[in-house]
Amino acid sequence: MEKAAIDALLKEMQAPTRGEPTPRVKAIVDRVVRDLFHVIEEFDVQPDEFWTAVNYLTEAGRNDEYGLIAAGLGFERFLDVRLDEAEAKAGLTGGTPRTIEGPLYVAGAPLVKGEGRLDDGTEDGEILVMHGQVRDVDGTPIAGAHVEVWHANTRGNYSFFDKSQSAFNLRRTIETDAEGRYRFRTIMPAGYAVPPEGSTDTLLKTLGRHGHRPAHIHFFVSAPGHRKLTTQINIDGDPYLHDDFAFATRDGLIPPVERNADPEAIAAAGLNEPFARIAFDFELKREADALPAAEVQRLRAEAA
Ligand code: MBD
Ligand code: FE
């Protein structure tokens, strides 16, 4: 088909026939449909192939995998790059780098003050102690900041989505103390892999890709007057550290892991076996006018 003939067809199809369209949504939908028409033409997509794609999308929705697909195809990372650019243009620089939220946050985790334990003690993992300070970009500590933390267990599974784990296992909100400090004890997470034979796995395999993430810990860090930070740290040494299917690894988010087997250090930490320790400080940018919100609205799981 001639391009002009496609566009003539589209013009007819996209003319409003009832009521007032919502201009932004109409402009975007019209553009996406137009681009897809041209893709079908350019690749000579056959009806069977088109309906295979529709069925794929239907099943991906039924499997609740769009969050995974958005991460795996790089959309979530792209949105981060755009937010970074908007902040840089507004003169907001410095601070801890953001990186993607992913689809596995659950709202409503217990709040603890200063420090807490994330694991429920049922799993025999390597003990990890992580601690640090929340500061603004000038280095001033922020007392009362909220550090929301969530991560996978030793099998790479997240509580709530993995019904074998207790409620809010490996999930807490920690409020920083008077010096802006937080500290938690947990177990070392393992890397994540997309559900085998699921929609994302099928797609990635077809694209010649894998669905693995390096071991990581997620954070939302928030305080009044500051840009909400969505970020993660990666566990150094993971084989997928620079081969993340979700493109979330960033310089500045790979803190050293200190392994401690010295009896005195173990006793000083109030433990009775060797442990790993990560020190990591968060720096929040100050909020500014006329910037896209750093707090992203999306459908999230919520547990009581
Ligand atoms: C995860 O644990 C994750 O963090 C992302 C981004 C995607 C899938 C699983
Ligand atoms: Fe994750």
Side-chain angles (χ1 to χ4, degrees):
M1 248 177 113
E2 297 283 332
K3 275 218 154 71
I6 296 177
D7 286 339
L9 190 61
L10 282 164
K11 196 172 172 200
E12 210 179 299
M13 292 167 162
Q14 296 180 340
T17 56
R18 203 74 95 255
E20 275 302 301
T22 304
R24 181 172 171 79
V25 175
K26 175 164 168 50
I28 292 171
V29 171
D30 285 359
R31 171 61 180 273
V32 169
V33 171
R34 175 178 173 270
D35 286 354
L36 286 177
F37 273 34
H38 285 285
V39 167
I40 289 170
E41 179 66 17
E42 187 176 330
F43 289 87
D44 193 22
V45 172
Q46 295 303 305
D48 289 0
E49 296 178 306
F50 177 81
W51 292 112
T52 298
V54 170
N55 292 343
Y56 172 82
L57 293 172
T58 302
E59 195 172 296
R62 283 195 189 119
N63 295 343
D64 201 11
E65 289 201 38
Y66 282 124
L68 283 182
I69 291 171
L73 292 183
F75 285 100
E76 210 178 349
R77 170 73 183 138
F78 179 52
L79 297 175
D80 271 0
V81 173
R82 297 189 73 252
L83 260 186
D84 287 351
E85 188 182 275
E87 287 177 349
K89 271 189 187 152
L92 288 194
T93 54
T96 303
R98 67 159 47 81
T99 199
I100 70 170
E101 171 181 338
L104 304 175
Y105 171 81
V106 178
L111 174 78
V112 296
K113 300 212 168 186
E115 61 184 300
R117 180 171 175 175
L118 275 51
D119 66 298
D120 65 8
T122 60
E123 224 189 343
D124 203 13
E126 181 184 17
I127 296 175
L128 169 65
V129 174
M130 181 164 170
H131 61 92
Q133 194 176 39
V134 178
R135 296 189 290 259
D136 68 17
V137 284
D138 301 323
T140 308
I142 306 177
H146 278 195
V147 178
E148 295 181 73
V149 50
W150 71 103
H151 69 80
N153 68 2
T154 64
R155 296 155 164 255
N157 296 327
Y158 285 78
S159 67
F160 184 85
F161 303 96
D162 169 12
K163 297 299 182 192
S164 78
Q165 295 183 48
S166 62
F168 295 113
N169 191 36
L170 312 178
R171 301 177 184 274
R172 286 296 181 278
T173 298
I174 304 171
E175 190 172 301
T176 57
D177 70 13
E179 280 82 52
R181 298 192 179 281
Y182 76 92
R183 170 183 290 264
F184 60 83
R185 170 190 171 168
T186 190
I187 51 172
M188 188 65 82
Y192 171 90
V194 299
E197 312 305 327
S199 301
T200 312
D201 191 43
T202 304
L203 176 63
L204 291 171
K205 280 186 179 137
T206 308
L207 300 176
R209 297 182 47 198
H210 67 73
H212 291 271
R213 298 209 60 211
H216 59 277
I217 301 176
H218 295 266
F219 299 94
F220 286 149
V221 187
S222 52
H226 295 81
R227 302 276 291 165
K228 177 168 174 169
L229 173 66
T230 300
T231 196
Q232 310 176 24
I233 59 131
N234 287 132
I235 306 301
D236 198 8
D238 190 291
Y240 289 99
L241 192 57
H242 297 288
D243 187 18
D244 177 5
F245 98 96
F247 312 104
T249 303
R250 298 192 66 174
D251 291 345
L253 299 178
I254 313 170
V257 182
E258 176 195 294
R259 250 95 193 180
N260 247 305
D262 170 49
E264 266 180 48
I266 292 171
L271 302 171
N272 48 25
E273 61 182 282
F275 67 104
R277 200 178 67 94
I278 293 174
F280 191 82
D281 299 332
F282 296 99
E283 274 187 22
L284 300 186
K285 293 184 172 89
R286 226 176 307 278
E287 192 52 280
D289 293 334
L291 263 181
E295 171 143 27
V296 174
Q297 303 300 320
R298 62 186 279 179
L299 195 63
R300 296 183 175 93
E302 182 153 7

Short mmCIF file of all heavy atoms in Angstrom, two decimals, residues 101-104 150-152 158 192 213 216 218 232, ligand 2:
data_model
loop_
_atom_site.label_atom_id
_atom_site.label_comp_id
_atom_site.label_asym_id
_atom_site.label_seq_id
_atom_site.Cartn_x
_atom_site.Cartn_y
_atom_site.Cartn_z
N GLU A 101 11.67 1.23 39.87
CA GLU A 101 10.95 0.63 41.00
C GLU A 101 10.70 -0.86 40.78
O GLU A 101 10.78 -1.66 41.73
CB GLU A 101 9.60 1.35 41.17
CG GLU A 101 8.66 0.69 42.17
CD GLU A 101 7.33 1.43 42.29
OE1 GLU A 101 7.28 2.64 41.94
OE2 GLU A 101 6.34 0.81 42.70
N GLY A 102 10.38 -1.25 39.56
CA GLY A 102 9.96 -2.63 39.32
C GLY A 102 8.55 -2.87 39.79
O GLY A 102 7.92 -1.98 40.39
N PRO A 103 8.01 -4.05 39.55
CA PRO A 103 6.59 -4.32 39.81
C PRO A 103 6.28 -4.99 41.14
O PRO A 103 5.16 -5.42 41.35
CB PRO A 103 6.22 -5.25 38.65
CG PRO A 103 7.47 -6.01 38.35
CD PRO A 103 8.63 -5.12 38.72
N LEU A 104 7.24 -5.04 42.09
CA LEU A 104 7.05 -5.93 43.23
C LEU A 104 6.99 -5.22 44.59
O LEU A 104 7.09 -5.86 45.64
CB LEU A 104 8.13 -7.03 43.24
CG LEU A 104 8.17 -7.85 41.93
CD1 LEU A 104 9.32 -8.84 41.94
CD2 LEU A 104 6.86 -8.58 41.69
N TRP A 150 12.61 -3.06 50.33
CA TRP A 150 12.04 -4.38 50.02
C TRP A 150 13.01 -5.16 49.14
O TRP A 150 13.73 -4.59 48.33
CB TRP A 150 10.65 -4.27 49.39
CG TRP A 150 10.53 -3.73 47.98
CD1 TRP A 150 10.32 -4.45 46.83
CD2 TRP A 150 10.55 -2.34 47.57
NE1 TRP A 150 10.21 -3.60 45.74
CE2 TRP A 150 10.35 -2.31 46.16
CE3 TRP A 150 10.73 -1.12 48.24
CZ2 TRP A 150 10.31 -1.12 45.43
CZ3 TRP A 150 10.71 0.05 47.50
CH2 TRP A 150 10.50 0.05 46.13
N HIS A 151 13.06 -6.47 49.37
CA HIS A 151 13.97 -7.30 48.56
C HIS A 151 13.52 -8.75 48.57
O HIS A 151 12.64 -9.16 49.33
CB HIS A 151 15.41 -7.14 49.04
CG HIS A 151 15.74 -7.70 50.37
ND1 HIS A 151 15.99 -9.04 50.58
CD2 HIS A 151 15.86 -7.11 51.59
CE1 HIS A 151 16.27 -9.24 51.86
NE2 HIS A 151 16.19 -8.09 52.50
N ALA A 152 14.15 -9.54 47.73
CA ALA A 152 13.82 -10.96 47.55
C ALA A 152 14.49 -11.80 48.63
O ALA A 152 15.45 -11.37 49.29
CB ALA A 152 14.27 -11.43 46.17
N TYR A 158 9.76 -12.65 46.22
CA TYR A 158 9.29 -11.55 47.05
C TYR A 158 8.03 -11.94 47.81
O TYR A 158 7.10 -12.51 47.22
CB TYR A 158 8.95 -10.34 46.17
CG TYR A 158 10.15 -9.60 45.63
CD1 TYR A 158 10.87 -10.09 44.56
CD2 TYR A 158 10.57 -8.40 46.21
CE1 TYR A 158 11.97 -9.40 44.06
CE2 TYR A 158 11.67 -7.71 45.72
CZ TYR A 158 12.37 -8.21 44.65
OH TYR A 158 13.44 -7.53 44.16
N TYR A 192 16.95 -12.28 40.87
CA TYR A 192 15.57 -12.56 40.45
C TYR A 192 15.58 -13.11 39.03
O TYR A 192 16.44 -12.74 38.22
CB TYR A 192 14.77 -11.25 40.51
CG TYR A 192 13.39 -11.34 39.90
CD1 TYR A 192 12.29 -11.70 40.68
CD2 TYR A 192 13.18 -11.09 38.54
CE1 TYR A 192 11.02 -11.80 40.13
CE2 TYR A 192 11.91 -11.18 37.98
CZ TYR A 192 10.84 -11.54 38.77
OH TYR A 192 9.59 -11.64 38.23
N ARG A 213 17.91 -10.81 36.88
CA ARG A 213 18.41 -9.59 37.49
C ARG A 213 19.47 -9.97 38.51
O ARG A 213 19.35 -11.00 39.18
CB ARG A 213 17.28 -8.85 38.24
CG ARG A 213 16.12 -8.38 37.35
CD ARG A 213 15.48 -7.14 37.95
NE ARG A 213 16.49 -6.11 38.02
CZ ARG A 213 16.55 -5.16 38.94
NH1 ARG A 213 15.65 -5.11 39.89
NH2 ARG A 213 17.52 -4.27 38.92
N HIS A 216 19.60 -7.61 44.43
CA HIS A 216 19.44 -6.17 44.65
C HIS A 216 18.50 -5.91 45.81
O HIS A 216 17.75 -6.80 46.21
CB HIS A 216 18.90 -5.51 43.37
CG HIS A 216 17.57 -6.07 42.94
ND1 HIS A 216 17.46 -7.24 42.21
CD2 HIS A 216 16.30 -5.65 43.17
CE1 HIS A 216 16.18 -7.51 42.01
NE2 HIS A 216 15.45 -6.56 42.59
N HIS A 218 15.65 -2.87 47.01
CA HIS A 218 14.91 -1.68 46.56
C HIS A 218 14.70 -0.69 47.69
O HIS A 218 14.51 -1.08 48.84
CB HIS A 218 13.51 -2.07 46.09
CG HIS A 218 13.46 -2.94 44.89
ND1 HIS A 218 13.32 -2.45 43.62
CD2 HIS A 218 13.52 -4.29 44.76
CE1 HIS A 218 13.27 -3.46 42.76
NE2 HIS A 218 13.39 -4.59 43.42
N GLN A 232 17.76 1.43 43.99
CA GLN A 232 18.14 0.07 44.40
C GLN A 232 19.64 0.08 44.61
O GLN A 232 20.35 0.88 44.03
CB GLN A 232 17.86 -0.96 43.30
CG GLN A 232 16.49 -0.94 42.70
CD GLN A 232 16.33 -1.92 41.54
OE1 GLN A 232 17.06 -2.91 41.45
NE2 GLN A 232 15.40 -1.65 40.67
FE FE B 2 13.40 -6.40 42.55
#
